Amino acid sequence: MTIKEAARIIREGGVVAFPTETVYGLGANALDAEAVKKVYELKGRPATSPLIVHVDSIEMAQQVVSEWPSLASRLAERWWPGPLSFVLPKQPSVPDIVTAGLPTVGVRMPNHPLGLELIREAGVPIAAPSANKFTGLSPTTAEHVRAAFGDAVPVLDGGPCQVGIESTVISIADGGLLLLRPGMIHFPDLERVAATTGAAHPAPGMHHRHYSPRTPLLVVSGPAELPDDSGAYVWHTQSADCERVYQLPLDPDQYAARLYATLHDLDGAGLPWIALEDLPATAKWDAIRDRISRAKA
Ligand code: AMP
Ligand code: MG
């Protein structure tokens, strides 16, 4: 499928899967409630889980939010396009279905040439969750999307995603920041730019079980904790004798970029378990530990 064809489908109220640097998105015109409804139906996503609206520019972001604080400008200047979503008060033109009825909307400018080109060509903001069935593993290749949806969803193939896990989500209010979901843009770096931090309030749409493979997932401190040798062991410091072993790099950016593809592969092998060697308890690994703890819940 070409970008022009994908953009036409979006403009006509259809759904397409498209690449971003985080994961593949299942996109629809964010200003068309009927189109967005199809996204929820295809995914089996509960209506209580808001979508992120993808834009090609700060100008387009300002069309979906009703407030654009100077802090948003400072953060966007440094990190957009990139894996950072802002939650801000929404414009009335954004349908309730996009925000799960919340008065706020999540917005981000993705850092992928095809994704950006698609939004530009469609000329409308694109609401998109990850292109997988609800609670399933997020897709980091076009093949992952096809495996989940078959012919039901056309896919714009942009190769493997470079970041590999979902964006950092922050709410910006009263000049302060609140982390709603960790990601590969680390909160302390955002706080340094903000210099102030808001008080905590609960984050909607954070389902505990999420990002899950079908195979039971364990986290172990090392080979000694493996139940037996019949499963798959994903390690970074110490290998083991197992049916399948898989080494991931001990670098958070590289680890994130390969995590879901590794889990997709191992999930397809029909093994009794997948065990991950646990990760350093440092801030740079927070987003990855968040996804793993939800995948095993
Ligand atoms: P995803 O499941 O990757 O599409 O990301 C959607 C996530 O963005 C949700 O699970 C929320 O954590 C966050 N999000 C999106 N919109 C909002 C909003 N209006 N308020 C709070 N969180 C939001
Ligand atoms: Mg998702």
Side-chain angles (χ1 to χ4, degrees):
M1 186 175 49
T2 65
I3 289 177
K4 277 199 165 26
E5 285 163 343
R8 185 178 49 77
I9 294 172
I10 295 285
R11 278 195 306 271
E12 290 175 354
V15 174
V16 297
F18 67 100
T20 79
E21 81 282 31
T22 61
V23 302
Y24 274 72
L26 194 60
N29 179 353
L31 304 177
D32 179 344
E34 283 304 310
V36 174
K37 191 162 163 239
K38 294 176 193 163
V39 171
Y40 279 89
E41 284 167 0
L42 280 161
K43 269 191 75 101
R45 184 175 172 110
T48 49
S49 201
L51 306 184
I52 291 170
V53 174
H54 295 73
V55 297
D56 67 2
S57 59
I58 290 176
E59 291 67 41
M60 194 184 266
Q62 289 168 336
Q63 287 164 23
V64 298
V65 304
S66 61
E67 284 169 32
W68 183 261
S70 58
L71 182 52
S73 291
R74 296 224 305 282
L75 296 172
E77 222 166 79
R78 168 107 178 252
W79 279 289
W80 276 14
L84 177 63
S85 301
F86 301 154
V87 169
L88 288 164
K90 78 174 190 76
Q91 284 284 355
S93 57
V94 177
D96 280 342
I97 188 169
V98 172
T99 66
L102 293 168
T104 52
V105 63
V107 64
R108 113 177 162 92
M109 180 173 170
N111 187 16
H112 192 292
L114 254 58
L116 282 176
E117 184 73 29
L118 172 66
I119 304 165
R120 202 158 293 150
E121 186 74 30
V124 291
I126 297 182
S130 52
N132 54 274
K133 302 280 185 176
F134 182 62
T135 77
L137 263 183
S138 299
T140 58
T141 66
E143 287 68 42
H144 295 157
V145 181
R146 289 188 198 108
F149 293 106
D151 292 335
V153 178
V155 188
L156 192 59
D157 190 344
C161 301
Q162 297 300 307
V163 172
I165 68 174
E166 296 80 359
S167 61
T168 306
V169 182
I170 55 170
S171 118
I172 308 177
D174 305 324
L177 292 185
L178 178 69
L179 181 64
L180 299 183
R181 177 176 72 185
M184 296 312 289
I185 292 180
H186 305 300
F187 195 56
D189 295 333
L190 299 168
E191 278 183 312
R192 252 191 295 284
V193 169
T196 50
T197 311
H201 67 71
M206 305 275 279
H207 292 268
H208 188 54
R209 185 183 168 86
H210 214 143
Y211 318 110
S212 303
R214 289 179 302 273
T215 313
L217 195 68
L218 324 169
V219 175
V220 298
S221 65
E225 277 183 21
L226 295 173
D228 48 58
D229 61 3
S230 66
Y233 184 45
V234 180
W235 63 282
H236 45 79
T237 61
Q238 221 189 329
S239 188
D241 269 334
C242 271
E243 193 60 34
R244 301 270 298 264
V245 286
Y246 201 100
Q247 184 180 14
L248 284 177
L250 193 51
D251 167 87
D253 295 312
Q254 291 176 37
Y255 191 107
R258 283 163 56 185
L259 175 63
Y260 289 153
T262 303
L263 293 178
H264 274 286
D265 275 357
L266 297 176
D267 205 18
L271 297 168
W273 47 262
I274 299 170
L276 301 182
E277 189 178 0
D278 65 4
L279 294 165
T282 55
K284 284 189 183 336
W285 291 91
D286 277 354
I288 299 166
R289 280 187 280 100
D290 169 76
R291 299 312 186 281
I292 290 173
S293 73
R294 291 204 241 176
K296 76 183 169 69

